[in-house]
Amino acid sequence: MTKKYWGKAGGLLISLLVLALGFLVFTPFLFMFAQSMRMPAEAYKMPPDFFPTRWDLTNYATLLNSDLPLVQMAVNSLTVTLCTIVVRLTVSIMAAYAIAKIRYRGSNAVMIGFLSSMMLPIQATIIPIYIMLSRLGLVNSLPGLVIVGVFDSFAIFMLRQSMASVPDSVVESAKIDGASQLRICWGIVAPMIKPTIATMIVLIFNGVWNDYFLPYILISSWEKMTLPLGINALKGYMGSGNQSVILAAVSFAVLPILIIFLFGQRYIVEGMTSAAVKG
């Protein structure tokens, strides 16, 4: 009886601890949304109140009426993000299948080479990338941003790990039935690793939607800029922009990520777990 009592008490304490940590993590987001509803006159109030004295949507209206084409920037971000998800997943799934299920000498070396590329930050390769895109005429264009994001060694690694857990007998049976490698990849293996694919969709969306460095380097015209560049422009000269308006723009940018994460959190845990089953 005592063990059962302490077991319930321990479970309750863990639940309370998780709830407290969850509230602690969510507090900055709550403060950000509250500040975005603050009147411009209260933007620099010191010390700042956690909640505004009056909830107002003026800052969001200011964004829509701004000289910056923020709506177009949001459309650009969404276009680049969705196109990158489609192209990157297509390439990553086929590359992962080729490494995990097609037997040839040096497949492990190829995977090691992919993983080694993760040690190089994008800043170390941006000059040759810029030169390549310049010669292709893709600088200051949305397709240029998509092309740069085609290869992702982390996505290939995660998908390869999940495909490695698919029994080889399934692939061999499909070969005996006359299925091609593409048919096996897309019709048999890919549907069996849906949690990992869903995880990659969430992670790619988060990474591309929030990317600031590549658009900053490759895009120069206002109508082709992405949302992170627009938010940075709202800061004004030496940070003189209205803080409430800036936080309204940040809230607008964060909202799609929160929605995607809330719908995909179950797949993230399941996908990460399935990818760790077999190395």
Side-chain angles (χ1 to χ4, degrees):
M1 186 69 180
T2 304
K3 291 183 178 180
K4 184 177 180 180
Y5 173 79
W6 283 110
K8 290 183 177 179
L12 179 61
L13 288 175
I14 292 176
S15 299
L16 292 176
L17 179 61
V18 171
L19 183 63
L21 292 176
F23 179 78
L24 183 63
V25 171
F26 186 71
T27 298
F29 294 97
L30 182 61
F31 180 77
M32 177 184 65
F33 286 117
Q35 289 291 96
S36 69
M37 300 288 186
R38 189 183 300 277
M39 295 295 294
E42 301 179 12
Y44 298 97
K45 182 179 179 181
M46 294 300 293
D49 296 328
F50 192 86
F51 293 107
T53 56
R54 183 168 68 90
W55 299 88
D56 195 279
L57 295 176
T58 303
N59 297 318
Y60 292 91
T62 302
L63 289 178
L64 297 177
N65 298 323
S66 173
D67 294 334
L68 293 174
L70 290 175
V71 175
Q72 181 61 45
M73 291 177 179
V75 173
N76 294 340
S77 290
L78 185 61
T79 301
V80 172
T81 301
L82 294 181
C83 291
T84 302
I85 289 174
V86 173
V87 176
R88 185 181 296 181
L89 276 181
T90 301
V91 173
S92 298
I93 289 174
M94 291 191 294
Y97 176 81
I99 296 173
K101 293 303 179 184
I102 299 179
R103 304 303 178 191
Y104 58 93
R105 182 178 298 178
S107 59
N108 290 331
V110 173
M111 190 68 249
I112 292 174
F114 285 167
L115 293 177
S116 299
S117 67
M118 295 175 61
M119 294 186 293
L120 288 175
I122 186 64
Q123 290 80 3
T125 58
I126 190 60
I127 294 178
I129 288 175
Y130 188 91
I131 294 174
M132 177 188 69
L133 293 179
S134 178
R135 292 179 177 178
L136 292 174
L138 294 176
V139 174
N140 193 32
S141 68
L142 299 184
L145 293 177
V146 176
I147 289 177
V148 175
V150 167
F151 176 77
D152 185 356
S153 55
F154 177 74
I156 295 174
F157 171 73
M158 292 294 296
L159 293 167
R160 182 262 179 190
Q161 293 296 93
S162 292
M163 288 183 182
S165 65
V166 176
D168 292 336
S169 58
V170 175
V171 178
E172 295 300 328
S173 298
K175 289 181 180 178
I176 294 174
D177 291 338
S180 64
Q181 294 287 7
L182 281 177
R183 173 63 177 171
I184 297 172
C185 175
W186 293 105
I188 299 175
V189 177
M192 297 178 69
I193 60 168
K194 285 182 179 179
T196 305
I197 294 177
T199 301
M200 289 298 102
I201 291 175
V202 175
L203 295 180
I204 294 172
F205 185 95
N206 180 61
V208 178
W209 179 266
N210 287 325
D211 187 22
Y212 175 82
F213 179 74
L214 282 176
Y216 180 75
I217 297 297
L218 300 177
I219 303 297
S220 57
S221 58
W222 289 105
E223 65 274 7
K224 295 181 181 179
M225 288 185 179
T226 55
L227 195 56
L229 297 181
I231 295 175
N232 182 68
L234 285 174
K235 291 168 56 179
Y237 178 70
M238 298 186 67
S240 59
N242 190 307
Q243 298 299 317
S244 296
V245 175
I246 296 173
L247 289 176
V250 174
S251 301
F252 177 72
V254 167
L255 188 59
I257 299 175
L258 292 179
I259 294 174
I260 292 292
F261 179 78
L262 288 176
F263 281 101
Q265 58 180 335
R266 178 172 64 89
Y267 296 103
I268 292 178
V269 176
E270 189 176 349
M272 291 293 185
T273 303
S274 63
V277 169
K278 186 176 181 179

